[in-house]
Structure formats: structure tokens, C-alpha cells
Amino acid sequence: CPVAEACNACAVEAAGQAVEKDDSTKKDEPMAEPVKKAEDAAPVGVKTRAQIDPKYLWKKDRLFVSHEAFSQALENAGAQSASIAECRVFDSAARLRECLDLYFRLHTDINKLTLYANMTVDTEPSDASRADQKKAANVLARFMEAATGVRDGILKIDPNVLDGFFASDEALRAYEPYIRNISRRADR
């Protein structure tokens, strides 16, 4: 079991499946230790996080090195997410690319914030962690509301103009599948 060190479910399962010993074994063979009965085994999930091998724990520090870094990023993302609302009219390939760069950078940053906050609630539940989770969810909601103009603005671009944008801006071509998908799903 890949998480055997994190729980004892395998031992409990094995104990529940134990069968009576076959008496026809040879006397000179060593006897195996009897399997504990399920009722004798410790309940599943009794280890604290401190007792679990670190290789099985989430690595929240890969998202943010500290809670202070998370708090600062949360504050910054909240302030920056309003700037996506300015991305409604795309009169050039450069403007469209700049807005999509901003959109995807903010979306990734805010996703990391919500992930970190959710992991913290799961691993260190407290009123403070639940408050952080709510703040991150609110930043995401405000961002998504402000970002509706990006989709609407893309749908207003004439397809021929859009083709010209792709032809004139090589970096914008990285977003072509995303933009074409928006156009394809316009009626939804």
C-alpha cells in the first residue's frame, strides 16, 4: 500500500479477511504470526499530521514559503484583479495579447491562493484559516466577475480581424486555441 506509513488500513483489512489456520502444515515449517482481529486493530486514521511521514504530506511551501507570503500575495491579487476589467475592447493584437497575459497570470496566481487556503483549512483548521479561505474565494469571485469582459470583448472581434491579429503577432498565437474555443462556444 503506498500510504501504509500514513494509516493502518491494510492491517485492519487483512485482519478482517483472516481465515482460520490450516492444521495440515508441516511441523518443521516456521509458524507465521497470527493476524490480529479487526476489533483488536487501532482505528484507521489515528495518526496526527506530526506522526505522518513528510513524504505523504502536502508541500504548501511550494505555493507560498510562509503565511505572510500568502497574505501579501492575497492582498496583491485582490488589488490587481480589478485591472482585468479594463480588458474589454481589443483594437490591436498587442492589446489582446497583453490582456490575455494578464488574465492567465492573475488566474494562476489566484488559483494558487485558493489552493493554499483550502489546504490550510484541511490541515490546520481554525477560524483564521477559514477566514483566509473565504478571502481567497472572494478574490477569485471578484476576478471572475471582472474578467467577463475579456470573453465578451473577444466575441466582438470580427473573425477576419482576429485572423489578422494572429498573423501579425506571433506571441498571440499561443492563445489561439483558447480564443477559437471561446468563439466556438459563443452560443453557450
PDB file of all heavy atoms in Angstrom, residues 59-82:
ATOM      1  N   LYS A  59       2.867  19.775   0.214  1.00  0.00           N
ATOM      2  CA  LYS A  59       4.005  20.694   0.287  1.00  0.00           C
ATOM      3  C   LYS A  59       3.496  22.115   0.035  1.00  0.00           C
ATOM      4  O   LYS A  59       3.709  22.690  -1.025  1.00  0.00           O
ATOM      5  CB  LYS A  59       5.073  20.318  -0.743  1.00  0.00           C
ATOM      6  CG  LYS A  59       5.473  18.854  -0.734  1.00  0.00           C
ATOM      7  CD  LYS A  59       6.311  18.513   0.474  1.00  0.00           C
ATOM      8  CE  LYS A  59       6.917  17.137   0.396  1.00  0.00           C
ATOM      9  NZ  LYS A  59       6.111  16.059   0.901  1.00  0.00           N
ATOM     10  N   LYS A  60       2.822  22.686   1.011  1.00  0.00           N
ATOM     11  CA  LYS A  60       2.258  24.027   0.849  1.00  0.00           C
ATOM     12  C   LYS A  60       3.336  25.073   0.604  1.00  0.00           C
ATOM     13  O   LYS A  60       3.085  26.074  -0.059  1.00  0.00           O
ATOM     14  CB  LYS A  60       1.447  24.438   2.087  1.00  0.00           C
ATOM     15  CG  LYS A  60       0.213  23.632   2.307  1.00  0.00           C
ATOM     16  CD  LYS A  60      -0.653  24.169   3.443  1.00  0.00           C
ATOM     17  CE  LYS A  60       0.129  24.707   4.584  1.00  0.00           C
ATOM     18  NZ  LYS A  60      -0.670  25.241   5.671  1.00  0.00           N
ATOM     19  N   ASP A  61       4.540  24.813   1.091  1.00  0.00           N
ATOM     20  CA  ASP A  61       5.624  25.791   0.919  1.00  0.00           C
ATOM     21  C   ASP A  61       6.052  25.912  -0.547  1.00  0.00           C
ATOM     22  O   ASP A  61       6.751  26.851  -0.906  1.00  0.00           O
ATOM     23  CB  ASP A  61       6.817  25.449   1.805  1.00  0.00           C
ATOM     24  CG  ASP A  61       7.432  24.092   1.495  1.00  0.00           C
ATOM     25  OD1 ASP A  61       6.717  23.196   0.998  1.00  0.00           O
ATOM     26  OD2 ASP A  61       8.633  23.932   1.769  1.00  0.00           O
ATOM     27  N   ARG A  62       5.615  24.991  -1.384  1.00  0.00           N
ATOM     28  CA  ARG A  62       5.890  25.127  -2.814  1.00  0.00           C
ATOM     29  C   ARG A  62       4.978  26.180  -3.447  1.00  0.00           C
ATOM     30  O   ARG A  62       5.277  26.692  -4.512  1.00  0.00           O
ATOM     31  CB  ARG A  62       5.737  23.793  -3.526  1.00  0.00           C
ATOM     32  CG  ARG A  62       6.815  22.813  -3.118  1.00  0.00           C
ATOM     33  CD  ARG A  62       6.691  21.526  -3.864  1.00  0.00           C
ATOM     34  NE  ARG A  62       7.747  20.613  -3.429  1.00  0.00           N
ATOM     35  CZ  ARG A  62       7.799  19.347  -3.785  1.00  0.00           C
ATOM     36  NH1 ARG A  62       6.892  18.846  -4.594  1.00  0.00           N
ATOM     37  NH2 ARG A  62       8.761  18.578  -3.354  1.00  0.00           N
ATOM     38  N   LEU A  63       3.857  26.463  -2.785  1.00  0.00           N
ATOM     39  CA  LEU A  63       2.958  27.513  -3.244  1.00  0.00           C
ATOM     40  C   LEU A  63       3.370  28.865  -2.658  1.00  0.00           C
ATOM     41  O   LEU A  63       3.499  29.846  -3.379  1.00  0.00           O
ATOM     42  CB  LEU A  63       1.521  27.189  -2.846  1.00  0.00           C
ATOM     43  CG  LEU A  63       0.929  25.931  -3.483  1.00  0.00           C
ATOM     44  CD1 LEU A  63      -0.391  25.564  -2.825  1.00  0.00           C
ATOM     45  CD2 LEU A  63       0.746  26.126  -4.971  1.00  0.00           C
ATOM     46  N   PHE A  64       3.553  28.883  -1.342  1.00  0.00           N
ATOM     47  CA  PHE A  64       3.985  30.093  -0.629  1.00  0.00           C
ATOM     48  C   PHE A  64       4.912  29.659   0.498  1.00  0.00           C
ATOM     49  O   PHE A  64       4.607  28.728   1.235  1.00  0.00           O
ATOM     50  CB  PHE A  64       2.779  30.856  -0.054  1.00  0.00           C
ATOM     51  CG  PHE A  64       1.859  31.367  -1.117  1.00  0.00           C
ATOM     52  CD1 PHE A  64       0.690  30.697  -1.429  1.00  0.00           C
ATOM     53  CD2 PHE A  64       2.181  32.503  -1.844  1.00  0.00           C
ATOM     54  CE1 PHE A  64      -0.143  31.139  -2.431  1.00  0.00           C
ATOM     55  CE2 PHE A  64       1.350  32.962  -2.846  1.00  0.00           C
ATOM     56  CZ  PHE A  64       0.183  32.279  -3.146  1.00  0.00           C
ATOM     57  N   VAL A  65       6.036  30.353   0.632  1.00  0.00           N
ATOM     58  CA  VAL A  65       7.042  29.946   1.609  1.00  0.00           C
ATOM     59  C   VAL A  65       6.588  30.181   3.049  1.00  0.00           C
ATOM     60  O   VAL A  65       7.119  29.569   3.969  1.00  0.00           O
ATOM     61  CB  VAL A  65       8.400  30.631   1.371  1.00  0.00           C
ATOM     62  CG1 VAL A  65       8.990  30.200   0.043  1.00  0.00           C
ATOM     63  CG2 VAL A  65       8.281  32.144   1.425  1.00  0.00           C
ATOM     64  N   SER A  66       5.613  31.062   3.235  1.00  0.00           N
ATOM     65  CA  SER A  66       5.115  31.338   4.582  1.00  0.00           C
ATOM     66  C   SER A  66       3.695  31.872   4.489  1.00  0.00           C
ATOM     67  O   SER A  66       3.225  32.260   3.414  1.00  0.00           O
ATOM     68  CB  SER A  66       6.008  32.386   5.261  1.00  0.00           C
ATOM     69  OG  SER A  66       5.884  33.639   4.595  1.00  0.00           O
ATOM     70  N   HIS A  67       3.053  31.923   5.632  1.00  0.00           N
ATOM     71  CA  HIS A  67       1.714  32.501   5.672  1.00  0.00           C
ATOM     72  C   HIS A  67       1.771  33.988   5.352  1.00  0.00           C
ATOM     73  O   HIS A  67       0.857  34.533   4.725  1.00  0.00           O
ATOM     74  CB  HIS A  67       1.057  32.265   7.037  1.00  0.00           C
ATOM     75  CG  HIS A  67      -0.368  32.709   7.049  1.00  0.00           C
ATOM     76  ND1 HIS A  67      -0.745  33.978   7.408  1.00  0.00           N
ATOM     77  CD2 HIS A  67      -1.504  32.062   6.691  1.00  0.00           C
ATOM     78  CE1 HIS A  67      -2.052  34.100   7.284  1.00  0.00           C
ATOM     79  NE2 HIS A  67      -2.537  32.946   6.851  1.00  0.00           N
ATOM     80  N   GLU A  68       2.835  34.637   5.719  1.00  0.00           N
ATOM     81  CA  GLU A  68       2.997  36.060   5.414  1.00  0.00           C
ATOM     82  C   GLU A  68       3.085  36.271   3.897  1.00  0.00           C
ATOM     83  O   GLU A  68       2.504  37.218   3.362  1.00  0.00           O
ATOM     84  CB  GLU A  68       4.238  36.639   6.106  1.00  0.00           C
ATOM     85  CG  GLU A  68       4.127  36.718   7.622  1.00  0.00           C
ATOM     86  CD  GLU A  68       4.246  35.367   8.335  1.00  0.00           C
ATOM     87  OE1 GLU A  68       4.876  34.430   7.780  1.00  0.00           O
ATOM     88  OE2 GLU A  68       3.665  35.232   9.419  1.00  0.00           O
ATOM     89  N   ALA A  69       3.800  35.393   3.209  1.00  0.00           N
ATOM     90  CA  ALA A  69       3.894  35.486   1.750  1.00  0.00           C
ATOM     91  C   ALA A  69       2.523  35.266   1.119  1.00  0.00           C
ATOM     92  O   ALA A  69       2.150  35.957   0.154  1.00  0.00           O
ATOM     93  CB  ALA A  69       4.907  34.476   1.218  1.00  0.00           C
ATOM     94  N   PHE A  70       1.767  34.324   1.667  1.00  0.00           N
ATOM     95  CA  PHE A  70       0.405  34.088   1.197  1.00  0.00           C
ATOM     96  C   PHE A  70      -0.446  35.343   1.403  1.00  0.00           C
ATOM     97  O   PHE A  70      -1.150  35.780   0.490  1.00  0.00           O
ATOM     98  CB  PHE A  70      -0.219  32.897   1.934  1.00  0.00           C
ATOM     99  CG  PHE A  70      -1.717  32.837   1.833  1.00  0.00           C
ATOM    100  CD1 PHE A  70      -2.328  32.350   0.685  1.00  0.00           C
ATOM    101  CD2 PHE A  70      -2.516  33.268   2.878  1.00  0.00           C
ATOM    102  CE1 PHE A  70      -3.715  32.303   0.588  1.00  0.00           C
ATOM    103  CE2 PHE A  70      -3.904  33.223   2.789  1.00  0.00           C
ATOM    104  CZ  PHE A  70      -4.502  32.736   1.644  1.00  0.00           C
ATOM    105  N   SER A  71      -0.383  35.923   2.579  1.00  0.00           N
ATOM    106  CA  SER A  71      -1.183  37.118   2.886  1.00  0.00           C
ATOM    107  C   SER A  71      -0.844  38.278   1.957  1.00  0.00           C
ATOM    108  O   SER A  71      -1.740  38.982   1.481  1.00  0.00           O
ATOM    109  CB  SER A  71      -0.986  37.541   4.344  1.00  0.00           C
ATOM    110  OG  SER A  71      -1.445  36.538   5.205  1.00  0.00           O
ATOM    111  N   GLN A  72       0.449  38.459   1.682  1.00  0.00           N
ATOM    112  CA  GLN A  72       0.871  39.525   0.778  1.00  0.00           C
ATOM    113  C   GLN A  72       0.368  39.266  -0.639  1.00  0.00           C
ATOM    114  O   GLN A  72      -0.127  40.168  -1.311  1.00  0.00           O
ATOM    115  CB  GLN A  72       2.397  39.670   0.789  1.00  0.00           C
ATOM    116  CG  GLN A  72       2.909  40.824  -0.043  1.00  0.00           C
ATOM    117  CD  GLN A  72       2.420  42.173   0.466  1.00  0.00           C
ATOM    118  OE1 GLN A  72       2.513  42.455   1.647  1.00  0.00           O
ATOM    119  NE2 GLN A  72       1.906  42.992  -0.430  1.00  0.00           N
ATOM    120  N   ALA A  73       0.484  38.035  -1.098  1.00  0.00           N
ATOM    121  CA  ALA A  73       0.010  37.682  -2.440  1.00  0.00           C
ATOM    122  C   ALA A  73      -1.506  37.836  -2.545  1.00  0.00           C
ATOM    123  O   ALA A  73      -2.023  38.269  -3.582  1.00  0.00           O
ATOM    124  CB  ALA A  73       0.430  36.253  -2.787  1.00  0.00           C
ATOM    125  N   LEU A  74      -2.205  37.511  -1.475  1.00  0.00           N
ATOM    126  CA  LEU A  74      -3.658  37.666  -1.448  1.00  0.00           C
ATOM    127  C   LEU A  74      -4.039  39.139  -1.591  1.00  0.00           C
ATOM    128  O   LEU A  74      -4.916  39.498  -2.378  1.00  0.00           O
ATOM    129  CB  LEU A  74      -4.219  37.077  -0.152  1.00  0.00           C
ATOM    130  CG  LEU A  74      -5.735  37.046   0.015  1.00  0.00           C
ATOM    131  CD1 LEU A  74      -6.371  36.166  -1.052  1.00  0.00           C
ATOM    132  CD2 LEU A  74      -6.086  36.529   1.402  1.00  0.00           C
ATOM    133  N   GLU A  75      -3.344  39.980  -0.870  1.00  0.00           N
ATOM    134  CA  GLU A  75      -3.583  41.422  -0.945  1.00  0.00           C
ATOM    135  C   GLU A  75      -3.279  41.948  -2.351  1.00  0.00           C
ATOM    136  O   GLU A  75      -4.063  42.703  -2.929  1.00  0.00           O
ATOM    137  CB  GLU A  75      -2.721  42.141   0.088  1.00  0.00           C
ATOM    138  CG  GLU A  75      -3.004  43.620   0.210  1.00  0.00           C
ATOM    139  CD  GLU A  75      -2.149  44.267   1.292  1.00  0.00           C
ATOM    140  OE1 GLU A  75      -2.038  43.690   2.385  1.00  0.00           O
ATOM    141  OE2 GLU A  75      -1.603  45.352   1.007  1.00  0.00           O
ATOM    142  N   ASN A  76      -2.144  41.546  -2.910  1.00  0.00           N
ATOM    143  CA  ASN A  76      -1.754  41.990  -4.261  1.00  0.00           C
ATOM    144  C   ASN A  76      -2.752  41.521  -5.322  1.00  0.00           C
ATOM    145  O   ASN A  76      -3.125  42.292  -6.208  1.00  0.00           O
ATOM    146  CB  ASN A  76      -0.359  41.487  -4.617  1.00  0.00           C
ATOM    147  CG  ASN A  76       0.722  42.134  -3.787  1.00  0.00           C
ATOM    148  OD1 ASN A  76       0.517  43.160  -3.148  1.00  0.00           O
ATOM    149  ND2 ASN A  76       1.887  41.511  -3.769  1.00  0.00           N
ATOM    150  N   ALA A  77      -3.160  40.274  -5.239  1.00  0.00           N
ATOM    151  CA  ALA A  77      -4.089  39.727  -6.235  1.00  0.00           C
ATOM    152  C   ALA A  77      -5.437  40.434  -6.155  1.00  0.00           C
ATOM    153  O   ALA A  77      -6.059  40.705  -7.186  1.00  0.00           O
ATOM    154  CB  ALA A  77      -4.258  38.226  -6.043  1.00  0.00           C
ATOM    155  N   GLY A  78      -5.856  40.733  -4.962  1.00  0.00           N
ATOM    156  CA  GLY A  78      -7.112  41.456  -4.799  1.00  0.00           C
ATOM    157  C   GLY A  78      -7.056  42.821  -5.458  1.00  0.00           C
ATOM    158  O   GLY A  78      -8.001  43.246  -6.141  1.00  0.00           O
ATOM    159  N   ALA A  79      -5.938  43.505  -5.302  1.00  0.00           N
ATOM    160  CA  ALA A  79      -5.769  44.827  -5.900  1.00  0.00           C
ATOM    161  C   ALA A  79      -5.628  44.735  -7.418  1.00  0.00           C
ATOM    162  O   ALA A  79      -6.187  45.552  -8.151  1.00  0.00           O
ATOM    163  CB  ALA A  79      -4.551  45.520  -5.299  1.00  0.00           C
ATOM    164  N   GLN A  80      -4.905  43.734  -7.903  1.00  0.00           N
ATOM    165  CA  GLN A  80      -4.658  43.610  -9.344  1.00  0.00           C
ATOM    166  C   GLN A  80      -5.847  43.050 -10.115  1.00  0.00           C
ATOM    167  O   GLN A  80      -5.979  43.312 -11.313  1.00  0.00           O
ATOM    168  CB  GLN A  80      -3.443  42.716  -9.593  1.00  0.00           C
ATOM    169  CG  GLN A  80      -2.142  43.319  -9.151  1.00  0.00           C
ATOM    170  CD  GLN A  80      -0.989  42.346  -9.373  1.00  0.00           C
ATOM    171  OE1 GLN A  80      -1.157  41.242  -9.865  1.00  0.00           O
ATOM    172  NE2 GLN A  80       0.200  42.768  -8.991  1.00  0.00           N
ATOM    173  N   SER A  81      -6.695  42.279  -9.449  1.00  0.00           N
ATOM    174  CA  SER A  81      -7.780  41.624 -10.180  1.00  0.00           C
ATOM    175  C   SER A  81      -8.749  42.630 -10.792  1.00  0.00           C
ATOM    176  O   SER A  81      -9.362  42.350 -11.823  1.00  0.00           O
ATOM    177  CB  SER A  81      -8.516  40.624  -9.299  1.00  0.00           C
ATOM    178  OG  SER A  81      -9.166  41.275  -8.236  1.00  0.00           O
ATOM    179  N   ALA A  82      -8.870  43.799 -10.207  1.00  0.00           N
ATOM    180  CA  ALA A  82      -9.750  44.820 -10.782  1.00  0.00           C
ATOM    181  C   ALA A  82      -9.223  45.313 -12.125  1.00  0.00           C
ATOM    182  O   ALA A  82     -10.007  45.744 -12.986  1.00  0.00           O
ATOM    183  CB  ALA A  82      -9.905  45.979  -9.810  1.00  0.00           C
TER     184      ALA A  82
END
